[in-house]
């Protein structure tokens, strides 16, 4: 069906984005609008001796100034992580609560200390600059290794030794036995550096209170989830808030999470009886947006004489920053720790992860939520095994891949894959990339004075099932010349993925109605009883299936109208999702289209309250995961005189099961690969190890990938349909990021090994690469 499932339909939403008519939180201005500005800590670790905001209160246009525990802010409940993990011995981890405005102590640069509200943003900013805070600075802890030093300053009295958790998964005894009989052991240290999320649209919130209930506009990845988090901080029932989410300019996991500013803004709106808006500037985003990655791993692999990995042992330290954010403890443990072997049939695995607190911005899930880090670890391990044993990149991977005849396959860590043909995906990628012909391209690069390298990696993603998701479809028959309209709602929220288009395609496929008649309604917690939000590449898996059930509900309810129009019994009427949607009396040529059937329904029949037209609803509450997988092949050229690394060719073959819209999938993979290349080449959040000051606090210092850093990408698909959901789909939103970082680094190592560089980690800054080449040259000369 044209514009149905499987069609490469261009995005409906792009028309307004390209015309500049998108509608974001900062575009929302309410009657009586007031504006807020936060006073933030300029130091990483200090006791607060006093705050003087007397001058600010008297400045023109100022409506209120608050610090922690005064003027009504004392009613806020500190924020707590929602996903703490237990220690390996079964005891609880240490998860201190985070105050929304600093109480007694600041623990990272940028932590909110006071909040100023005024008639204009300029007035609020001017007043905020007069607030003076007296700090008694204390030593800062920067870096996960420093946090675990015996004499390290302790950030929280309820987290001794700065340790949040000591978690493990796997069979340590089986791993030890395998190492004892191994013919070869490879060892290496792997660093996934910290990064800044850098969404195009900064965080923003606008809250109003009518004396009984809040109406909140916020850039989120799901209205219901954010409503629940803010309500918990306000210590009220979620129903006391209506949370609305308009267009969102990027989320990447960060906008799923509660940040300290949100509850403060809502409370100020209640206390003032005025709507209060706060929009972060880019400097605030660098200091206060939850950051990502940041895990250091010691890895070991035990192999037989042929390079088959018998066992793998991992020991990692994850830097959580100053406080445990909502999902931070899970990012490198339950989100991905049991995925350590990825697509490889490794006999035994033991994975230990410790989480620590440091005087840095808190960390949480970032596109892939631990899976890019875990995949990077696995691919670096298998790449090192191949290099150590003299086995080619493709051969070492093929030798260890799980095969299709093993499906459903349960890994050494208990994860069960329902489907997948990993060798077929590998073969397809090698053919498209002309892997066999690479040596000629390497020689050509050498003639130009460049070091050429190729990296081949396999990846596996786990996309999340659950929590609950809901969808609604409303059909409004046109009257008096007005067109027919179908409105659709979902509890998940687009942050740029194209939900408005993909969900419309499902509705079109199931009901046959005009694609252009389908209108997406922005996120609204009042519109649906529940919603899970977008995250973990779950939107199509959960919301897409919810729309299947909602359209079934539409058909079931509209059958009464068809019976009325056709003067037949409902039991005799069939529905066909042809153009326009058709009810037919079985065995006859008597038909009526879907909208006509809805128009013929008795007044009040199958409607929700006094809503116009027919409303169908559906939802899912399943926990089934999907396991997208694929192969990335990257080629690089390195200038040995400058250390500059150029990505010259990039090939991806993905298994995403059934594709609802191949064009949207291509866009998701391209964007994910771009982010992965950015991490590999240039992105890193760096803090001064002595003071804890961010050294990469703006785009002057924090390097983002540019268009000319990225090659044209050859992206194709080799699907094996998923067996755990009725659409046969596997999530695609994070997959590009999962594979890209390791592909670039493996390619760089392939280029650098001939000049003596055997290890290097992200990011591949020119200075780092140049220094590694010079260091290797000096060592080789000394030998």
């Amino acid at each position: 069906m044209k514009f149905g499932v499987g069609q490469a339909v261009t995005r409906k939403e792009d028309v307004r984005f390209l015309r500049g008519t998108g509608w974001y939180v900062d575009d929302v201005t309410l009657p009586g609008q007031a504006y807020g500005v936060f006073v933030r800590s300029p130091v990483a670790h200090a006791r607060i001796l006093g705050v003087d905001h007397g001058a600010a209160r008297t400045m023109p246009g100022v409506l209120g100034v608050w610090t922690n525990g005064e003027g009504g802010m004392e009613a806020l409940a500190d924020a707590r992580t929602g996903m703490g993990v237990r220690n390996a011995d079964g005891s609880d981890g240490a998860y201190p609560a985070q105050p929304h405005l600093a109480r007694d102590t600041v623990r990272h640069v940028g932590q909110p200390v006071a909040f100023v509200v005024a008639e204009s943003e300029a007035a609020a900013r001017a007043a905020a600059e007069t607030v003076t805070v007296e700090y008694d600075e204390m030593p800062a802890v920067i870096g996960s290794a420093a946090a675990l030093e015996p004499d390290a300053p302790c950030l929280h009295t309820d987290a001794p030794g700065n340790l949040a958790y000591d978690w493990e998964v796997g069979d340590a005894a089986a791993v030890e036995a395998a190492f004892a009989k191994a013919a070869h052991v490879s060892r290496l240290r792997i660093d996934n550096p910290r990064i800044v999320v850098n969404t195009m649209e900064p965080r923003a919130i606008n809250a109003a209170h009518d004396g009984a209930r809040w109406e909140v506009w916020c850039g989120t990845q799901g209205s219901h989830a954010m409503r629940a988090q803010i309500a918990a901080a306000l210590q009220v029932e979620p129903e006391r808030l209506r949370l609305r989410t308009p267009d969102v300019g990027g989320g990447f996991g960060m906008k799923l999470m509660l940040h300290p500013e949100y509850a403060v803004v809502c409370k100020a709106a209640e206390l003032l009886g005025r709507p209060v808006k706060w929009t972060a500037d880019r400097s605030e985003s660098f200091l206060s947006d939850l950051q990502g990655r940041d895990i250091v791993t010691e890895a070991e692999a035990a192999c037989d004489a042929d390079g088959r990995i018998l066992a793998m042992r991992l020991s990692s330290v994850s830097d959580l920053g100053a406080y445990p954010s909502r999902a931070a403890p899970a990012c490198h443990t339950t989100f991905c720790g049991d995925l350590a072997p990825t697509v490889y049939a490794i006999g035994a695995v033991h994975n230990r992860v410790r989480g620590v607190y440091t005087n840095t911005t808190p960390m949480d899930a970032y596109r892939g939520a631990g899976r890019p880090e875990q995949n990077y670890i696995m691919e670096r391990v298998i790449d090192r095994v191949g290099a150590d044993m003299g086995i080619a990149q493709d051969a070492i991977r093929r030798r260890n891949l799980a095969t299709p005849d093993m499906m459903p396959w349960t890994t050494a860590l208990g994860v069960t894959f329902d489907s997948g043909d990993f060798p077929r995906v590998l073969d397809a990628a090698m053919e498209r990339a002309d892997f066999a012909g690479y040596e000629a391209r390497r020689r050509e690069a050498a003639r130009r004075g460049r070091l050429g390298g190729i990296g081949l990696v396999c990846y596996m993603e786990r996309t999340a099932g659950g929590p609950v998701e809901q969808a609604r479809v409303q059909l409004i028959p046109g009257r008096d010349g007005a067109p027919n309209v179908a409105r659709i709602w979902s509890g998940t929220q687009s942050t740029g993925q194209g939900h408005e288009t993909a969900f419309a395609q499902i509705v079109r496929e199931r009901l046959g109605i005009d694609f252009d008649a389908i209108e997406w309604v922005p996120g609204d917690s009042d519109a649906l009883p529940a919603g899970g939000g977008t995250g973990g590449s779950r939107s199509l898996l959960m919301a897409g299936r919810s729309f299947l059930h909602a359209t079934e509900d539409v058909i079931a309810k509209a059958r009464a109208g068809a019976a009325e129009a056709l003067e037949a019994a409902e039991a005799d009427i069939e529905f066909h999702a042809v153009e326009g949607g058709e009810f037919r009396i079985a065995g006859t040529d008597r038909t009526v289209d879907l909208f006509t059937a809805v128009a013929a329904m008795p007044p009040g029949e199958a409607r929700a309250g006094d809503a116009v037209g027919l409303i169908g609803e559906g939802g899912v509450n399943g926990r089934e995961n999907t396991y997208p997988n694929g192969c990335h092949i990257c080629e690089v050229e390195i200038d040995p005189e400058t250390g500059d690394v150029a990505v010259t060719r990039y090939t991806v073959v993905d298994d995403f099961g059934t594709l609802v819209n191949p064009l949207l999938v291509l866009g998701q993979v391209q964007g994910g690969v771009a982010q992965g290349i950015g991490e590999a080449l240039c992105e890193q959040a760096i803090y001064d190890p002595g003071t804890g000051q961010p050294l990469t606090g703006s785009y002057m210092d924090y390097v983002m990938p540019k268009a000319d850093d990225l090659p044209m990408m050859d992206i194709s698909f080799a699907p094996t349909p998923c067996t755990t959901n009725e659409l046969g789909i596997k999530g695609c939103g994070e997959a590009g990021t999962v594979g890209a970082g390791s592909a670039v680094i493996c390619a760089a190592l392939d280029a650098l090994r001939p000049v003596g560089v055997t290890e290097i980690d992200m990011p591949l800054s020119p200075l780092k690469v140049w220094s590694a080449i010079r260091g290797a040259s000096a060592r080789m000369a000394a030998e």
Side-chain angles (χ1 to χ4, degrees):
M1 178 178 286
K2 188 176 182 181
F3 303 120
V5 171
Q7 300 290 308
V9 180
T10 55
R11 301 199 319 178
K12 294 167 72 77
E13 50 268 64
D14 283 350
V15 174
R16 68 174 183 276
F17 293 151
L18 291 171
R19 291 176 175 172
T21 57
W23 192 45
Y24 300 88
V25 172
D26 197 56
D27 296 319
V28 178
T29 300
L30 303 173
Q33 187 71 67
Y35 301 83
V37 170
F38 284 89
V39 177
R40 299 181 182 275
S41 172
V43 297
H45 198 196
R47 283 182 288 270
I48 299 174
L49 300 181
V51 180
D52 183 357
H53 48 64
R57 289 185 176 279
T58 63
M59 292 189 67
V62 171
L63 300 172
V65 183
W66 293 271
T67 60
N68 184 287
E70 67 170 354
M73 291 296 167
E74 66 277 4
L76 296 178
D78 291 352
R80 292 191 174 275
T81 183
M83 298 185 184
V85 298
R86 289 184 176 273
N87 296 315
D89 63 6
S91 61
D92 291 333
Y95 304 114
Q98 180 176 7
H100 304 276
L101 294 171
R103 180 189 301 112
D104 303 328
T105 303
V106 291
R107 294 182 172 88
H108 69 91
V109 174
Q111 184 170 357
V113 176
F115 186 51
V116 180
V117 178
E119 296 285 359
S120 69
E121 183 180 350
R125 194 169 297 281
E129 291 175 356
T130 71
V131 175
T132 59
V133 184
E134 185 179 359
Y135 296 103
D136 178 18
E137 284 199 62
M138 298 185 287
V141 180
I142 303 298
S144 55
L148 291 174
E149 289 292 333
D151 58 350
C154 186
L155 269 71
H156 304 277
T157 57
D158 46 354
N162 296 314
L163 186 67
Y165 60 79
D166 188 342
W167 178 92
E168 66 177 27
V169 63
D171 188 336
V175 168
E176 189 66 32
F179 269 81
K181 65 180 184 181
H184 170 80
V185 174
S186 288
R187 296 182 175 88
L188 70 160
R189 181 183 183 275
I190 303 163
D191 187 2
N192 278 277
R194 176 179 288 237
I195 63 166
V196 177
V197 174
N198 282 310
T199 55
M200 291 180 70
E201 177 204 20
R203 287 188 298 116
I205 184 170
N206 194 348
H209 192 269
D210 63 7
R213 195 168 187 248
W214 284 269
E215 183 168 21
V216 180
W217 299 82
C218 189
T220 79
Q221 292 176 227
S223 296
H224 293 82
M226 186 57 70
R227 178 183 71 166
Q229 293 178 79
I230 296 175
L234 294 170
Q235 301 194 80
V236 300
E237 292 300 316
E239 292 73 25
R240 293 274 308 278
L241 284 81
R242 179 184 186 183
L243 201 143
R244 306 176 70 175
T245 301
D247 289 324
V248 180
F252 309 121
M254 182 265 290
K255 288 182 182 172
L256 265 174
M257 314 304 175
L258 181 71
H259 285 70
E261 297 87 356
Y262 297 163
V264 175
V265 170
C266 290
K267 194 65 181 178
E270 178 193 17
L271 294 169
L272 292 173
R274 296 271 300 271
V276 177
K277 181 195 294 188
W278 168 77
T279 301
D281 61 31
R282 189 57 67 179
S283 293
E284 285 184 291
S285 295
F286 270 94
L287 296 177
S288 64
D289 287 359
L290 293 165
Q291 297 179 350
R293 311 297 188 227
D294 206 342
I295 182 171
V296 179
T297 304
E298 299 291 338
E300 301 173 279
C303 311
D304 67 13
D306 296 320
R308 291 182 178 84
I309 301 177
L310 305 174
M312 183 168 64
R313 183 160 48 212
L314 306 175
S315 179
S316 303
V317 183
S318 172
D319 188 338
L320 304 181
Y323 296 94
S325 182
R326 182 190 181 204
C331 284
H332 295 138
T333 56
T334 53
F335 281 0
C336 69
D338 58 349
L339 302 178
T342 67
V343 294
Y344 302 109
I346 300 173
V349 179
H350 184 257
N351 187 6
R352 180 193 185 194
V353 185
R354 288 173 289 172
V356 298
Y357 297 115
T358 63
N359 292 114
T360 58
T361 302
M363 184 278 293
D364 212 309
Y366 172 68
R367 197 170 189 172
R371 275 90 70 188
E373 297 95 302
Q374 196 66 68
N375 203 82
Y376 180 64
I377 293 166
M378 182 68 251
E379 288 302 315
R380 288 293 312 283
V381 166
I382 200 166
D383 202 63
R384 179 62 178 267
V385 167
D388 287 349
M389 300 186 72
I391 303 172
Q393 293 183 62
D394 58 322
I396 191 65
R397 287 168 172 82
R398 192 183 307 279
R399 202 163 295 178
N400 285 281
L401 283 175
T403 54
D405 58 289
M406 299 168 66
M407 300 297 162
W409 166 54
T410 301
T411 72
L413 294 180
V415 176
T416 299
F417 289 71
D418 67 288
S419 60
D421 189 341
F422 311 141
R424 178 169 70 98
V425 171
L426 174 64
D427 289 339
M430 291 177 63
E431 181 178 354
R432 293 190 70 92
D434 184 26
F435 190 84
Y438 177 69
E439 289 307 318
R441 297 193 291 279
R442 192 197 301 269
R443 290 191 294 271
E444 202 283 325
R447 283 193 291 272
R448 291 183 282 106
R450 299 295 189 266
L451 303 174
I454 189 167
L456 179 154
V457 304
C458 299
Y459 82 86
M460 185 276 304
E461 237 276 75
R462 176 169 59 197
T463 64
V468 65
E469 193 54 85
Q470 297 278 327
R472 172 180 288 179
V473 176
Q474 180 183 20
L475 301 188
I476 305 173
R479 290 183 173 86
D480 302 323
N484 297 323
V485 174
R487 292 186 180 138
I488 61 175
W489 291 258
S490 172
T492 189
Q493 173 67 40
S494 175
T495 58
Q497 302 97 314
H499 292 175
E500 190 168 331
T501 301
F503 296 153
Q505 287 181 260
I506 293 174
V507 173
R508 157 80 171 162
E509 179 83 13
R510 300 288 288 191
L511 298 181
I513 58 181
D514 184 2
F515 183 72
D516 291 330
I518 302 171
E519 299 178 355
W520 167 264
V521 182
D524 184 346
S525 63
D526 276 8
L528 294 168
T534 183
S537 300
R538 64 177 297 280
S539 291
L540 189 59
L541 174 63
M542 299 298 288
R545 292 157 64 207
S546 296
F547 277 111
L548 293 184
H549 299 314
T551 54
E552 290 168 359
D553 192 37
V554 165
I555 294 167
K557 291 175 177 177
R559 188 172 271 109
E564 184 78 17
L566 295 171
E567 299 179 333
E570 289 188 35
D572 295 333
I573 294 177
E574 302 170 339
F575 179 77
H576 301 279
V578 297
E579 190 68 41
E582 178 186 275
F583 285 104
R584 177 186 294 270
I585 299 175
T588 76
D589 61 357
R590 294 184 61 202
T591 64
V592 64
D593 69 78
L594 178 56
F595 276 101
T596 301
V598 172
M601 294 176 67
E605 183 76 22
R607 290 163 170 77
D610 59 355
V612 176
L614 180 151
I615 290 180
E617 295 181 318
V620 293
N621 193 18
R623 293 282 172 176
E624 300 86 359
N625 295 303
T626 73
Y627 296 94
N629 58 89
C631 179
H632 289 217
I633 299 178
C634 174
E635 296 181 23
V636 303
E637 292 184 5
I638 299 175
D639 183 344
E641 298 303 318
T642 66
D644 181 67
V645 180
V647 178
T648 57
R649 185 168 176 171
Y650 206 98
T651 304
V652 183
V653 175
D654 288 309
D655 171 11
F656 294 138
T658 302
L659 303 181
V660 170
N661 186 322
L663 186 62
L664 297 188
V665 174
L666 281 171
Q668 287 297 293
V669 176
Q670 288 170 341
V673 169
Q675 283 181 287
I677 290 175
E679 292 178 43
L681 292 184
C682 53
E683 291 192 57
Q684 185 176 13
I686 301 173
Y687 292 81
D688 184 282
T691 66
Q693 288 293 326
L695 301 180
T696 49
S698 74
Y699 290 132
M700 294 293 290
D701 308 297
Y702 187 93
V703 183
M704 293 284 284
K706 301 178 295 295
D708 61 358
D709 292 321
L710 307 173
M712 296 300 291
M713 302 173 197
D714 181 344
I715 300 169
S716 60
F717 308 106
T720 300
C722 182
T723 65
T724 62
N725 66 81
E726 55 266 53
L727 286 171
I729 60 173
K730 303 174 184 179
C732 71
E734 298 160 314
T737 313
V738 174
S742 54
V744 175
I745 298 300
C746 288
L749 284 168
D750 184 58
L752 292 169
R753 285 191 186 104
V755 296
V757 178
T758 59
E759 282 304 325
I760 199 165
D761 259 316
M762 300 188 282
L764 297 174
S765 68
L767 177 60
K768 181 190 289 186
V769 175
W770 181 87
S771 299
I773 293 171
R774 291 298 176 272
S777 177
R779 288 192 300 274
M780 293 168 71
E783 293 170 358

